[in-house]
Amino acid sequence: MKIDGMHYRSVTASGQDSITIIDQRWLPFELRFVQLHTLSDVAIAIKDMWTRGAPLIGAVGAYGLCFALRDDTSTTNLEQAYTALLATRPTAINLKWALDAVKNSALPLHGGARISAAFQCAARICDEDVAINEAIGQHGLQLFRQHLDAKPTGSTLNILTHCNAGWLATVDWGTALAPIYMAHDAGLPVHVYVDETRPRNQGASLTAWELQQHGVPFTLIADNTGGHLMQHGLVDLCIVGTDRVTAQGDVCNKIGTYLKALAAKDNNIPFYVALPSPTIDWTVMDGLREIPIEQRSAREITHILGTHTDGTTMEVCITLPQVNTVNYAFDVTPARLVTALITERGIVSPDALREL
Ligand code: MRU
């Protein structure tokens, strides 16, 4: 990832002392880096969405468990920290996957060896995430080339994405945005329609900012616009990330994804999902019934953050006081609406996931 031309990762560790993350609550208005030193810092940062995106909360959560062990190497403390971190965000499976990896690396050991093994495991999770996303990008790039080749010479490939599945949601590259960055870097003419992604506006605030930093052409659209664009032939393909994919290929992702997949199906537009393999939950089949859907604060719906003309950032209420709300953070797109899954191991149709 590049910010003002400089290379960064979304999480970096300073030995066993701390990690540095971007406090994403302030983007796109301010770029704030923060250091997290303890289990409690990490739990707050994940729960309150300073850091977010399924792969990134896995990586950051892994360090939370490391900090807990650094401060108390007992198994009781390990189990308590594991439970506390797991409860911070229930839907994305990468957090559980990463916590399990750190726990399993530490459990057979004792004392200082336990701490070292945990930190080594967390560092490995971060490095692997980068390598995985790069491979996803390469596979997706080939797919984009095929789509472009099918269009008249000189055409632009118009891609619609929802939420933020870029480098801000991972350690680096992103999942759905990785092929977009690679295509742009390879000189392919790509243009992205970015769903604003109410209620938290991850598209408007994060994806738009990332794409702008990288110089990728994009257009921000209201969430309700995608269907109209698809009906008028203005979208060549959709690509999104995911927080959990079931063994039968159902895709849980940011609320609103399902509606985009329905519109894509109705208009014969391919709907791709990019995912690292730790996002697959082999223990569940039926995404609609078996995945817990996080419900978030009413404030995400009733209030909105923006900048005033004098440059100050402020939150304003956009509805009546004390209005009733319901705020599901994710929905499930059934496998039948998904054209293909793009993983680090290759591209498969959802019903062939097990063959990967
Ligand atoms: O902002 P979040 O953590 O609530 O949303 C999760 C996501 O970032 C998206 O659902 C994303 O598309 C999948 S993670 C690459």
Side-chain angles (χ1 to χ4, degrees):
M1 75 200 219
K2 286 209 184 112
I3 304 173
D4 293 332
M6 290 251 306
H7 185 257
Y8 292 86
R9 279 185 174 192
S10 302
V11 55
T12 49
S14 301
Q16 296 184 356
D17 176 66
S18 61
I19 53 171
T20 302
I21 60 160
I22 296 172
D23 183 346
Q24 298 186 22
R25 293 172 303 167
W26 300 99
L27 286 172
F29 312 113
E30 279 177 60
L31 176 63
R32 286 194 196 177
F33 290 92
V34 284
Q35 285 190 328
L36 310 177
H37 294 88
T38 63
L39 164 68
S40 151
D41 288 351
V42 169
I44 290 168
I46 297 176
K47 190 163 180 22
D48 293 347
M49 311 265 300
W50 307 11
T51 190
R52 41 148 300 286
L56 185 59
I57 59 180
V60 171
Y63 278 107
L65 208 47
C66 295
F67 294 151
L69 278 172
R70 178 201 59 200
D71 296 340
D72 173 352
T73 59
S74 70
T75 301
T76 310
N77 187 48
L78 174 61
E79 296 291 357
Q80 281 173 354
Y82 175 97
T83 307
L85 285 164
L86 196 58
T88 53
R89 299 286 310 267
T91 302
I93 197 65
N94 308 59
L95 179 60
K96 179 173 187 307
W97 172 85
L99 294 176
D100 282 340
V102 174
K103 184 170 145 179
N104 292 335
S105 75
L107 264 181
L109 305 165
H110 298 283
R114 204 169 239 198
I115 304 172
S116 305
F119 274 98
Q120 278 166 20
C121 181
R124 203 164 50 240
I125 286 170
C126 290
D127 290 343
E128 281 176 10
D129 184 64
V130 179
I132 285 172
N133 296 333
E134 192 170 352
I136 289 172
Q138 294 292 352
H139 291 303
L141 173 59
Q142 301 315 319
L143 198 62
F144 287 5
R145 283 191 198 280
Q146 289 166 17
H147 280 288
L148 207 49
D149 287 348
K151 293 189 75 171
T153 312
S155 302
T156 294
L157 190 67
N158 288 298
I159 301 165
L160 184 141
T161 193
H162 189 68
C163 193
N164 172 255
W167 55 254
L168 285 165
T170 66
V171 180
D172 204 352
W173 282 109
T175 56
L177 295 195
I180 293 174
Y181 289 131
M182 286 187 192
H184 175 78
D185 291 350
L188 269 59
V190 288
H191 164 263
V192 187
Y193 285 110
V194 177
D195 283 351
E196 60 177 347
T197 320
R198 282 285 291 149
R200 246 193 120 88
N201 290 331
Q202 287 95 332
S205 58
L206 304 176
T207 301
W209 184 77
E210 274 194 34
L211 292 175
Q212 189 176 66
Q213 287 291 332
H214 203 95
V216 178
F218 70 92
T219 303
L220 180 65
I221 54 172
D223 287 327
N224 296 330
T225 307
H228 174 80
L229 295 179
M230 292 187 218
Q231 284 175 319
H232 289 272
L234 296 171
V235 175
D236 295 306
L237 63 93
C238 302
I239 185 166
V240 297
T242 168
D243 298 86
R244 196 185 304 209
V245 170
T246 72
Q248 68 180 17
D250 295 339
V251 170
C252 182
N253 192 47
K254 180 54 54 189
I255 193 80
T257 302
Y258 169 57
L259 289 177
K260 293 302 143 70
L262 278 177
K265 186 78 170 181
D266 194 44
N267 291 283
N268 287 321
I269 291 167
F271 191 89
Y272 298 115
V273 179
L275 65 143
S277 52
T279 305
I280 305 168
D281 184 349
W282 296 107
T283 70
V284 297
M285 286 294 284
D286 183 343
L288 273 179
R289 280 168 195 81
E290 295 179 76
I291 297 179
I293 300 294
E294 177 182 350
Q295 288 197 46
R296 298 196 56 85
S297 149
R299 203 169 175 88
E300 288 186 350
I301 294 183
T302 57
H303 288 68
I304 203 157
L305 189 71
T307 47
H308 196 262
T309 44
D310 67 5
T312 51
T313 303
M314 63 173 65
E315 194 183 55
V316 293
C317 181
I318 57 167
T319 185
L320 304 167
Q322 285 154 5
V323 73
N324 275 341
T325 61
V326 64
N327 186 9
Y328 292 102
F330 302 94
D331 61 25
V332 173
T333 299
R336 67 187 154 78
L337 298 179
V338 176
T339 308
L341 302 167
I342 307 171
T343 79
E344 73 272 22
R345 294 183 209 148
I347 301 174
V348 280
S349 74
D351 54 7
L353 190 55
R354 284 189 186 279
E355 290 159 30
L356 257 187

